[in-house]
Amino acid sequence: MDGKKNPFAAWAVASQLAFVILAPLLVFIVGGHYVVEHYELPGWVMVVCIILGIVFMISGAISHIMKMIRLFAKDDKSQYRSYLSDRRDNDYYDDHGHQ
């Protein structure tokens, strides 16, 4: 069975996208909270960590989506199809008599 047509392929892509979205947010929010509490930093440091988490989340999601589009949108262009036919098979010769 082709990997792209496997029913679990959609689940794998969705779970990867969820991980790409959630991981930066969790790392920056939890890490920012830890740093602010442990080192007694001002509250704006937490806001900067949240903004960084959102930026990394968006860039990672866009990168992952573009990679999936390139992977799943590929056509099999390696096989050349020839559409050559005899000229007499065309409708033009059916409507007009040969001279």
Side-chain angles (χ1 to χ4, degrees), residues 66-83:
M66 294 305 291
K67 183 194 282 186
M68 291 298 111
I69 288 173
R70 282 192 300 270
L71 177 68
F72 285 98
K74 283 185 180 177
D75 290 333
D76 189 14
K77 294 181 182 178
S78 62
Q79 298 175 352
Y80 293 103
R81 297 183 181 123
S82 64
Y83 294 105

Side-chain angles (χ1 to χ4, degrees), residues 25 28-29 44-58:
L25 280 178
F28 278 97
I29 290 173
W44 62 266
V45 175
M46 186 64 193
V47 173
V48 170
C49 289
I50 291 171
I51 291 171
L52 283 173
I54 291 171
V55 167
F56 278 96
M57 174 197 69
I58 291 172

